Amino acid sequence: MSLFVREASFYKRFFTLTLIIGLQNIITFGVNLSDNLMIGGYSESALSGIAIANQIQFVLQMLVMGVSEGLVIMASRYWGANDVGSIKRIASIGMRLSILVGLLMWVIVFFFPQSLLSLFANDQSVIAEGTKFVKIICFSYLFFSVTSILLATLRSVETVKIGFILSSTTLIINVCLNYVLIYGHFGFPSLGVQGSAIATLSARMIELIIVCVFVKRYDRKIYLKLRDFFTIEMGLFKQYVKLGSPILMSNFIWGIAMATQTSILGHMGAAAIAANSIATTIFQIVSVVVFASASATTIVIGKTIGEGNMDKIVSYAKTLQMLYLVIGLCTGAALFVTKDYVLGLYTISGEAKDLALQFMTVLSVTVCGTAYQMPSLTGIVRSGGDTKFVLYNDTIFMWLIVLPASALCSFVFHLSPVVTFICLKSDQILKCFVAIVKVNRFKWVRTFDPYSSDSKETAV
C-alpha cells in the first residue's frame, strides 16, 4: 500500500470541497468584517460593544456547529452507503436540537443582556452599545439555527455550492443595509449599532427563505420534505446522542473559553477589545481554507468509511496531514504580509492599531499550528467516530493550561495585552504534538449499528 494517495479523484474531491466551503466561509466572515469596518468608522465604543456582543453569537454558533458536525459525521457515512432515508431521519434529529439551542439562547440574551455583557467588559459605554445590539440580533438566532442544519444536511451529501451562493447573498444584503442604517443614508435615520443589528437580522431571514426554496425546488439528492422533520428514529437518536454529545459539549466549552478569552482582554481596556476584534476577524478571513479543510475532511473520511473502504484510511490520513502543513504555511505568510494594509482600512486609535498589529503577528505564527492540529483532530479523528477525544483534549489545554496562565498574566502579574494574547493562543502549537501521536496511531476509527447506541473500534 502506498504511503500517500495517488488517486486523482481524492485530490479533486478534497480540494473542490475545500475551495467551495472556503469561499462560503470567507464571505460569511466578510459579513463580520463589513460590520467591523462600518461600525469602526462610527465609533470605537460601538465597535467594542459589537465585539463583546458577538461573543454571545459565537457561543450560539459553536453549539449549532456542534449539532451540525454530529449530523455531517453520521449522514456522510449513510451517503457513502446510499441510505438516504437515514439521512432524512438524522436531519430531523439535528433540526430539533438546533432549534432548542436557538430558543434557549434567545431567552437568555433577550432577558439578561446587560448581565451577560458585563462579564466581558467593565466600560459602561461599551456595555450600553452592546446591549442595543443584542436586544435586536437575538431574534436572528432561530433563523440561523434552522439554516445551519439545512446547509449541514446538504453538505453531508456533497452539495456545497448553495452555501456559497447563500453567503454571497447575505454579504450583499448586509453591506447595503449597514450602509443605509448605520449612518442614515437615503432618508433613513442614523441608527448606529442598532442599524447593524437590523441589517444582520434581515440578512438571516432572507438566507433562510433562499435555502428553503433550494431544498424544496432544486435539491435532487435527499428530497427533504417538511413532514420528514416530524419523525424520529430512536435507534438513530441514541447513536446521534452518543456520537454528537461530545462534539456539542466540546464546542460549548470552546465557545465559553473564547468568550472568557475576550473577557480577560476586555478588562485590559477598550483598545484591547477593539484590537482583538479586528485581529480575530482578519484571522478568520485569511484562515478560511484551514477551517474548510476540516469540513472537507469530515465528508471525505466519513463517506469512505460508509463505503467500507477501510484500506484507504491510512493513506488518506497521511496525505491529509501533509496538505494541512502546506495550507498552514501559506496562511501564516498571507496573514503576515497583509496585516499592515488591512489595518489601514480601520478608523481607530493609535493604541488599538498598534495592539492589533502585534496580535496579528502572533496569529501569523500560531495559525501554522492551527492548520495542522485542528483539521487533524476535528476532521480526521472526529469523522472516524472518536468524538470524545477532542472534548478531553480541549478541556485539558484550555481550562487547565491556557486560561489559568492568561488570567495570571492579566490580573496577577499585570503583563501587557500582547503577552497575555500569546498565552491565549499557545495551545494552537502545543496541541500539534498530541495530534501527531493521536492521528498516526489509527485507533480512532469507530463503526456503529445505526439502530443501537453500540460502536466498536475498527482496525485499519
Side-chain angles (χ1 to χ4, degrees):
M1 180 175 60
S2 175
L3 184 60
F4 298 111
V5 179
R6 296 182 179 178
E7 306 167 18
S9 60
F10 166 81
Y11 294 100
K12 181 180 180 180
R13 188 179 2 161
F14 174 76
F15 284 116
T16 299
L17 289 169
T18 300
L19 176 62
I20 297 175
I21 295 172
L23 288 173
Q24 176 190 342
N25 289 345
I26 198 170
I27 294 172
T28 300
F29 291 131
V31 173
N32 294 336
L33 178 61
S34 70
D35 285 343
N36 274 8
L37 288 172
M38 292 186 176
I39 283 293
Y42 185 78
S43 77
E44 190 167 313
S45 61
L47 174 62
S48 299
I50 288 185
I52 61 173
N54 279 339
Q55 293 307 306
I56 301 170
Q57 173 78 13
F58 181 73
V59 173
L60 170 72
Q61 289 174 337
M62 293 304 294
L63 289 172
V64 173
M65 191 184 300
V67 176
S68 300
E69 287 178 12
L71 186 157
V72 173
I73 289 172
M74 290 187 68
S76 61
R77 292 195 183 191
Y78 288 111
W79 179 237
N82 256 339
D83 186 351
V84 175
S86 292
I87 295 175
K88 291 183 177 183
R89 291 189 284 273
I90 293 168
S92 174
I93 296 168
M95 185 64 75
R96 292 163 189 252
L97 293 175
S98 187
I99 289 175
L100 177 62
V101 168
L103 287 173
L104 287 174
M105 287 294 292
W106 175 82
V107 169
I108 294 170
V109 173
F110 184 77
F111 289 103
F112 309 102
Q114 289 182 320
S115 300
L116 280 174
L117 294 176
S118 63
L119 298 174
F120 303 105
N122 48 19
D123 188 319
Q124 291 304 309
S125 64
V126 171
I127 294 173
E129 293 291 333
T131 300
K132 294 178 187 176
F133 185 78
V134 296
K135 290 284 283 186
I136 297 172
I137 202 70
C138 66
F139 287 96
S140 72
Y141 293 173
L142 190 58
F143 299 113
F144 171 78
S145 299
V146 174
T147 300
S148 297
I149 293 301
L150 291 176
L151 288 177
T153 305
L154 293 169
R155 190 165 65 248
S156 69
V157 298
E158 300 177 90
T159 301
V160 292
K161 291 181 180 179
I162 178 60
F164 169 67
I165 296 170
L166 203 63
S167 297
S168 302
T169 304
T170 302
L171 176 62
I172 294 170
I173 294 170
N174 198 67
V175 169
C176 293
L177 290 179
N178 269 339
Y179 178 75
V180 171
L181 297 176
I182 292 175
Y183 296 100
H185 294 291
F186 303 112
F188 285 86
S190 176
L191 299 176
V193 294
Q194 292 172 308
S196 178
I198 293 171
T200 303
L201 173 59
S202 302
R204 293 298 182 203
M205 294 171 66
I206 294 171
E207 71 178 4
L208 176 57
I209 294 171
I210 293 173
V211 75
C212 286
V213 170
F214 179 86
V215 168
K216 176 69 175 176
R217 295 179 62 90
Y218 299 103
D219 173 54
R220 294 293 179 268
K221 293 180 180 178
I222 313 175
Y223 295 98
L224 275 171
K225 307 294 182 183
L226 183 61
R227 62 176 177 269
D228 294 325
F229 295 101
F230 292 100
T231 60
I232 188 167
E233 169 62 54
M234 290 309 298
L236 280 174
F237 179 73
K238 291 177 181 178
Q239 187 62 55
Y240 188 100
V241 170
K242 181 174 182 179
L243 187 74
S245 56
I247 301 175
L248 186 62
M249 191 176 298
S250 177
N251 281 19
F252 176 70
I253 290 173
W254 185 257
I256 296 296
M258 292 297 100
T260 304
Q261 289 191 10
T262 300
S263 178
I264 291 172
L265 290 171
H267 286 84
M268 302 183 82
I273 299 175
N276 182 53
S277 174
I278 294 169
T280 302
T281 301
I282 302 304
F283 168 78
Q284 289 173 332
I285 292 174
V286 173
S287 61
V288 288
V289 178
V290 174
F291 299 98
S293 68
S295 298
T297 297
T298 299
I299 298 169
V300 170
I301 296 294
K303 185 179 180 182
T304 302
I305 294 174
E307 292 170 337
N309 295 324
M310 308 304 289
D311 56 314
K312 296 182 178 181
I313 295 296
V314 172
S315 58
Y316 278 17
K318 295 283 187 182
T319 303
L320 287 167
Q321 289 176 79
M322 296 302 298
L323 295 175
Y324 300 154
L325 291 173
V326 174
I327 290 171
L329 291 172
C330 293
T331 303
L335 183 61
F336 185 80
V337 169
T338 60
K339 65 183 187 302
D340 294 291
Y341 172 75
V342 173
L343 285 176
L345 302 175
Y346 284 89
T347 305
I348 54 175
S349 66
E351 181 186 2
K353 187 170 289 189
D354 289 341
L355 280 176
L357 183 64
Q358 295 175 71
F359 287 177
M360 290 172 70
T361 302
V362 173
L363 289 171
S364 67
V365 176
T366 61
V367 71
C368 298
T370 304
Y372 173 73
Q373 62 85 15
M374 193 274 291
S376 291
L377 296 175
T378 66
I380 296 176
V381 175
R382 267 187 183 171
S383 62
D386 188 356
T387 58
K388 293 181 180 178
F389 182 81
V390 176
L391 170 61
Y392 300 149
N393 191 55
D394 284 349
T395 301
I396 291 170
F397 272 100
M398 187 57 67
W399 291 98
L400 299 183
I401 300 175
V402 170
L403 290 178
S406 303
L408 287 173
C409 287
S410 177
F411 302 122
V412 177
F413 300 114
H414 302 290
L415 299 177
S416 69
V418 177
V419 174
T420 303
F421 191 79
I422 291 172
C423 283
L424 289 171
K425 303 303 175 185
S426 60
D427 63 315
Q428 299 304 304
I429 301 296
L430 298 175
K431 286 180 184 176
C432 291
F433 301 102
V434 176
I436 291 171
V437 175
K438 177 64 179 178
V439 174
N440 294 293
R441 289 181 67 188
F442 293 98
K443 293 184 177 181
W444 37 264
V445 178
R446 304 282 190 274
T447 56
F448 54 81
D449 179 352
Y451 298 105
S452 76
S453 59
D454 296 329
S455 62
K456 61 181 181 180
E457 183 180 307
T458 301
V460 294

